[in-house]
Amino acid sequence: MIPKAAMRATNNAMRGYIPHSDIVSAGARIVAGQQKQGKKPGTGRGKQKRPQLTEINHNGKAVLKGKTTVAAAVKKLHDYEETGLLPYEVRNLIERAHNLEKRVEKLEGWENDGR
């Protein structure tokens, strides 16, 4: 574990050279907190489940779920491939967007409280 004073000094030094270093630091704090709690990184929002198009059948093979059409599955696969990102990178982007939305709501609330 890195001492807080050393981490603070590193963050202060990086702030002038690395754009958006505060976002990186915030992400590092989230991951550190999840590691303390024994969670895997990227699993912060357990209550929202994204719909899946596939499931594993009794033979252990991946098949399309219930009423999922092949066209819908192919479109989703194409959209994913167009991003050029790995699965964990997509999860990180989703988590970052969620955190930014919370931050914007907080800032908007502050603006309304001041009136």
Side-chain angles (χ1 to χ4, degrees):
M1 179 87 138
I2 300 172
K4 286 186 179 180
M7 199 64 202
R8 208 172 297 124
T10 303
N11 287 342
N12 290 338
M14 288 189 327
R15 192 171 289 137
Y17 299 102
I18 299 175
H20 310 295
S21 66
D22 55 338
I23 295 172
V24 174
S25 296
R29 283 191 296 274
I30 291 170
V31 170
Q34 289 175 346
Q35 287 174 348
K36 282 182 182 177
Q37 295 173 356
K39 294 182 181 178
K40 292 182 182 177
T43 59
R45 292 185 302 163
K47 57 188 165 193
Q48 289 184 351
K49 186 167 183 173
R50 285 177 264 135
Q52 291 188 333
L53 300 176
T54 60
E55 62 186 0
I56 303 298
N57 69 4
H58 63 280
N59 294 330
K61 295 183 180 179
V63 295
L64 293 177
K65 271 189 175 179
K67 296 181 180 179
T68 304
T69 63
V70 174
V74 170
K75 182 182 182 319
K76 192 166 187 175
L77 176 62
H78 179 266
D79 291 344
Y80 165 71
E81 288 176 339
E82 285 294 305
T83 64
L85 299 173
L86 297 173
Y88 75 91
E89 293 172 319
V90 172
R91 284 191 297 273
N92 289 344
L93 285 174
I94 291 169
E95 185 72 26
R96 181 177 174 198
H98 177 70
N99 291 337
L100 289 173
E101 288 171 1
K102 285 167 96 175
R103 187 174 178 190
V104 167
E105 288 174 5
K106 181 180 175 184
L107 291 174
E108 287 174 348
W110 174 81
E111 185 179 72
N112 293 336
D113 291 341
R115 289 185 182 174

